[in-house]
Amino acid sequence: MAYDHALPGLGTRFLAALELAYEQLTLFPNSSEKVFPEVRRALLPRPFPYLVYYSPQEDWLEIIAVVHGSRHERVWKRRLDE
């Protein structure tokens, strides 16, 4: 993982932050900002400037994209058409 090249163990911390975000979003799926019809956006905790775009379904979450916060929204919106 690229984060591990910057600082050993940082990649593991990134994955742990992503797993924690998924657990929290599973418990509170409508707690994040709605940015598109049926799509919400959650921010990973510091120091990770990543956004999780997801769509809450009845019994699960559809993760659309995990992208760096500086990326243009077309990056994740393209995935809606795939």
Side-chain angles (χ1 to χ4, degrees):
M1 176 164 252
Y3 270 131
D4 280 331
H5 292 299
L7 182 66
L10 193 57
T12 302
R13 286 181 48 206
F14 175 76
L15 290 176
L18 194 56
E19 288 175 4
L20 179 61
Y22 181 75
E23 289 173 14
Q24 291 175 341
L25 294 173
T26 300
L27 292 173
F28 305 102
N30 296 316
S31 63
S32 297
E33 175 186 18
K34 187 181 261 191
V35 294
F36 202 70
E38 306 303 319
V39 177
R40 293 182 174 270
R41 175 178 63 199
L43 179 64
L44 287 186
R46 288 181 184 215
F48 306 110
Y50 283 81
L51 301 166
V52 178
Y53 291 90
Y54 69 98
S55 178
Q57 304 301 313
E58 193 167 314
D59 295 325
W60 54 285
L61 291 179
E62 177 184 5
I63 304 298
I64 298 163
V66 177
V67 297
H68 193 276
S70 66
R71 299 295 304 267
H72 193 277
E73 66 181 22
R74 73 176 160 259
V75 171
W76 65 266
K77 282 186 176 179
R78 257 191 311 234
R79 297 181 184 186
L80 295 175
D81 296 329
E82 293 177 355

